[in-house]
Amino acid sequence: MQGVPEQFTDEKDRARFRHLAGIPGVELYHAHIARFAFEPHTHEAFGIGTIEWGAERFRYRGADHVAAVNSLVTMNPDELHTGEAETHGGWRYRMI
């Protein structure tokens, strides 16, 4: 996935991708990010996700936002955004 490193440098950061058989173009992403800060980047497709634990701080459409636990987050294709931990232990989230 564009904007996501192949491998994180800190052991507290981790992510996994899955593709659903029979549904081309759909990616499932589950991550726990504690230290990594996503630089400004875009994605080619819509993103829909939820924060399972902690909180994320991100910049989107020129404004800063915080997504707390149980938040629903959506991203349009080709929209520049960032992402980093807002809470001490980071945040855990799922995206499709």
Side-chain angles (χ1 to χ4, degrees):
M1 177 181 276
Q2 185 180 353
V4 178
E6 294 274 330
Q7 186 172 359
F8 294 102
T9 56
D10 193 293
E11 65 185 21
K12 293 183 180 184
D13 299 320
R14 57 191 171 277
R16 65 184 159 103
F17 289 96
R18 286 184 28 218
H19 292 92
L20 299 176
I23 307 177
V26 174
E27 292 180 319
L28 302 178
Y29 181 61
H30 186 219
H32 176 235
I33 307 297
R35 306 231 192 261
F36 187 78
F38 292 93
E39 295 293 326
H41 65 282
T42 63
H43 300 283
E44 295 176 357
F46 287 99
I48 303 168
T50 185
I51 309 298
E52 296 181 316
W53 181 85
E56 173 193 17
R57 172 176 293 283
F58 62 99
R59 186 154 186 84
Y60 181 64
R61 293 186 169 181
D64 291 323
H65 303 275
V66 173
V69 67
N70 297 323
S71 293
L72 180 66
V73 178
T74 60
M75 297 281 175
N76 288 324
D78 301 319
E79 292 267 3
L80 194 64
H81 62 280
T82 63
E84 64 184 298
E86 170 66 9
T87 52
H88 176 71
W91 85 101
R92 187 175 67 228
Y93 66 109
R94 292 179 187 268
M95 296 287 294
I96 184 169

